[in-house]
Amino acid sequence: MTSGPALVSILRQGDVLVASVHTALDDSQMLRFQHDLVRQIGEHRARGVIIDVAALDVIDSFASRTLQSIADISRLRGAATVIVGIQPDVAFAMVRLGMGIGELPTALDLEEGMVHLARVRDRARR
Amino acid sequence: MTPSAASDEPQLEAQESADIAGLVPLLQRIVTARVGQHPAAEDIIQETLARVLAAEDRIEPGMLEPYAITTVRNVIASMWRKDDVAARNQHRMHDPSESVEAAELLVASEEQLAMTEALARLTDRERQVLLAHEVSGLATQVLADEVGSTAGAVAAQLKRTRARLRVEYVLALEGTEPPTDRCRAVLLALSSADRRRQRELDSARHLLECDVCARLSEPLLDRAPERPDEVRVPIGADPDIVSARQAARELAVRAGFVGADLTMLATAVSEVARNIVRFAESGEVSIELLARPRAGIRVIARDTGPGISDIDRALQDGFSTYDGLGLGLPGARRLMDEFEVASAPGKGTTVSMTKWFEKKG
């Protein structure tokens, strides 16, 4: 187990989970994060998930794939996911890398992320 | 104690020693928090347990844990105090009359033997010039005049001879012969800090593959000047991927890279480092600043893995042999300016990629 400061924090705001990544994660930490988040969706009966990746200086193929998996798994567990805070340089590199992130809902920042989730749920209610 | 309780006593004792054994995880936590991975950590725990055991009769029921906690704190504090005193008094410990240890003498004689043998392996000519210069103290100019050469040529020759002597010395000291033909050449290139020759021989790859050279090269590399424009990161597990890309980023920042270039570089390093972890288990990523033909940064990822049988296919998008996006190599290629893969089945893989630094504005 890793000790020291938490790498990721998952907070609850109403029925939305806000997961902030604080530092660069390696592959196994990324998978642990995925596991923890999916578990907490069930525990808290969350309907929405916001993942804040503003602290990530690199989102490579593995990180993208993991974020994609989290979004897919959350959807199957009944929660909408939105990724927020992708840095401009990181976005640039992701496009160059050739990441297909079309399916992954994203928003500029936390605030926009909340708005996005609210809109998704409005649509679902109608 | 009442007579009626006497019969319960053995049972009670067993209960108490079980309690004491139960203290171990608690003590471990406390000790780790205070001294971390200190080599004395285990001793501290044992000492504490011994003291608690000795005081067992005096400890009131239920007070075992607090007693143990206080004791372990005291043990740690007295350890620090002792260390501190020792450090302050260390200069008094030196005894000039102390005789040289037998072991040291043995080492010295071994070293001498190795040096004799190393000298014997040089050619007569090399040995003569070296000894004349180093032992008799003849200037290079004098030596040059003797053979009708220039001082510069003699100095260069001396430099080569010293490099060879170092290689032969470490070989003699280890008492080994290098396992392959290439070993000597590689060690010589390392010993003389000849970077062009090292590249020609691909010495970094040889060191990954040859255990003997990897061991022997350490003292040879130690004397090479610190190179601020190069970083090598050994890759063996997941966390190394992050270290490699951070090292690349730091070096690139120093070279003047900014913004998206930095992120693209770090992402590409991440991809190639991951390939090493996934396919080869061990290897290294070396990152080097380039000044010519223009400012840039070169990343070379080497591994001793199974190699890639079809490089063209590995460079196609979506071709993945593990559960990935298949973006590793092709993605890294798009992120960098130059990209090259050399590999053959069973021979490991070398990915070299370069990013040029473009001054903006």
Side-chain angles (χ1 to χ4, degrees):
Chain A
M1 268 326 276
T2 49
S3 55
L7 307 170
V8 176
S9 59
I10 303 177
L11 305 173
R12 193 157 64 98
Q13 156 86 39
D15 58 1
V16 173
L17 289 181
V18 181
S20 311
V21 182
H22 299 305
T23 180
L25 300 183
D26 70 32
D27 294 6
S28 29
Q29 290 163 341
M30 202 78 199
L31 288 176
R32 200 178 313 143
F33 167 51
Q34 169 180 335
H35 182 84
D36 287 349
L37 189 57
V38 169
R39 186 172 46 80
Q40 294 213 17
I41 290 172
E43 270 172 22
H44 295 301
R45 313 190 69 81
R47 306 289 298 275
V49 177
I50 298 181
I51 303 175
D52 182 358
V53 294
L56 289 186
D57 64 342
V58 166
I59 299 183
D60 58 11
S61 59
F62 187 83
S64 314
R65 190 173 71 94
T66 312
L67 289 176
Q68 182 83 60
S69 310
I70 292 175
D72 291 345
I73 297 169
S74 308
R75 191 162 42 78
L76 294 175
R77 297 276 281 158
T81 302
V82 57
I83 311 288
V84 304
I86 295 181
Q87 297 296 306
D89 294 341
V90 174
F92 195 82
M94 285 172 80
V95 172
R96 269 290 187 88
L97 188 59
M99 222 67 73
I101 23 172
E103 292 295 300
L104 198 57
T106 52
L108 185 64
D109 55 19
L110 204 55
E111 201 179 333
E112 292 294 322
M114 285 288 190
V115 172
H116 175 92
L117 284 184
R119 211 180 301 139
V120 169
R121 292 165 66 181
D122 267 359
R123 222 177 298 150
R125 223 170 280 151
R126 249 173 252 158
Chain B
M1 195 166 281
T2 54
S4 65
S7 59
D8 292 340
E9 207 169 349
Q11 205 185 342
L12 206 67
E13 231 164 56
Q15 173 68 35
E16 272 175 5
S17 46
D19 284 349
I20 287 175
L23 289 173
V24 173
L26 172 82
L27 293 176
Q28 265 163 351
R29 230 169 28 242
I30 296 173
V31 171
T32 313
R34 306 223 159 188
V35 305
Q37 297 299 319
H38 196 283
E42 192 53 39
D43 293 347
I44 295 172
I45 293 171
Q46 292 306 327
E47 171 72 23
T48 310
L49 287 178
R51 288 191 193 184
V52 172
L53 264 177
E56 208 185 340
D57 303 338
R58 290 182 277 120
I59 304 172
E60 301 199 3
M63 293 303 283
L64 203 57
E65 279 196 2
Y67 188 90
I69 292 170
T70 313
T71 309
V72 74
R73 280 187 192 149
N74 288 341
V75 172
I76 293 170
S78 57
M79 181 187 82
W80 290 139
R81 217 172 298 131
K82 223 163 56 204
D83 282 359
D84 190 41
V85 170
R88 263 187 285 128
N89 289 328
Q90 203 177 19
H91 64 284
R92 300 185 188 165
M93 294 284 285
H94 177 61
D95 179 3
S97 64
E98 211 168 276
S99 64
V100 182
E101 293 283 327
E104 278 176 34
L105 274 176
L106 195 65
V107 169
S109 75
E110 261 176 28
E111 284 171 353
Q112 205 171 0
L113 272 178
M115 182 50 85
T116 315
E117 196 179 334
L119 274 171
R121 287 188 199 169
L122 298 178
T123 65
D124 290 345
R125 170 95 196 100
E126 282 174 334
R127 191 165 52 245
Q128 265 169 21
V129 176
L130 186 71
L131 292 179
H133 182 71
E134 301 287 351
V135 181
S136 314
L138 289 183
T140 47
Q141 185 61 54
V142 179
L143 290 169
D145 289 344
E146 266 176 32
V147 290
S149 168
T150 65
V154 172
Q157 192 205 341
L158 276 171
K159 200 173 155 236
R160 275 198 304 277
T161 308
R162 282 194 210 103
R164 263 204 63 190
L165 188 63
R166 281 193 292 271
V167 171
E168 297 300 343
Y169 175 72
V170 291
L171 283 172
L173 202 57
E174 287 269 323
T176 46
E177 268 304 299
T180 72
D181 304 342
R182 276 181 71 202
C183 294
R184 256 206 176 76
V186 168
L187 290 174
L188 189 58
L190 294 172
S191 172
S192 53
D194 183 343
R195 295 188 49 205
R196 195 168 54 87
R197 189 87 184 103
Q198 286 173 22
R199 251 199 308 279
E200 279 170 15
L201 290 165
D202 200 354
S203 59
R205 161 157 295 284
H206 181 76
L207 291 187
L208 274 183
E209 287 166 352
C210 177
D211 292 338
V212 174
C213 288
R215 195 173 64 243
L216 291 180
S217 65
E218 271 172 33
L220 297 175
L221 288 172
D222 272 352
R223 53 170 297 286
E226 264 303 283
R227 302 230 0 223
D229 56 347
E230 189 182 356
V231 189
R232 286 170 187 281
V233 185
I235 306 290
D238 279 350
D240 300 333
I241 300 174
V242 177
S243 328
R245 72 185 186 218
Q246 279 167 353
R249 177 181 280 269
E250 275 165 30
L251 201 62
V253 165
R254 251 190 289 149
F257 274 82
V258 284
D261 277 353
L262 272 179
T263 308
M264 287 197 280
L265 173 75
T267 310
V269 170
S270 195
E271 298 295 345
V272 293
R274 173 169 301 107
N275 275 356
I276 296 180
V277 174
R278 289 286 190 279
F279 299 119
E281 281 166 13
S282 82
E284 69 163 18
V285 171
S286 71
I287 306 137
E288 183 187 4
L289 292 184
L290 302 176
R292 279 169 302 175
R294 54 199 166 109
I297 195 159
R298 175 184 291 146
V299 177
I300 301 179
R302 298 180 184 84
D303 67 55
T304 52
I308 303 172
S309 51
D310 190 345
I311 294 177
D312 287 339
R313 238 182 110 204
L315 285 173
Q316 277 168 21
D317 273 333
F319 174 72
S320 175
T321 43
Y322 69 102
D323 186 21
L325 286 172
L327 283 170
L329 285 180
R333 174 153 78 169
R334 278 192 293 271
L335 290 165
M336 302 293 277
D337 295 326
E338 278 169 34
F339 189 90
E340 201 182 329
V341 184
S343 181
K347 294 272 182 203
T349 305
T350 304
V351 180
S352 332
M353 46 191 201
T354 312
K355 190 147 192 78
W356 301 113
F357 170 46
E358 283 160 41
K359 265 216 173 65
K360 288 184 183 95

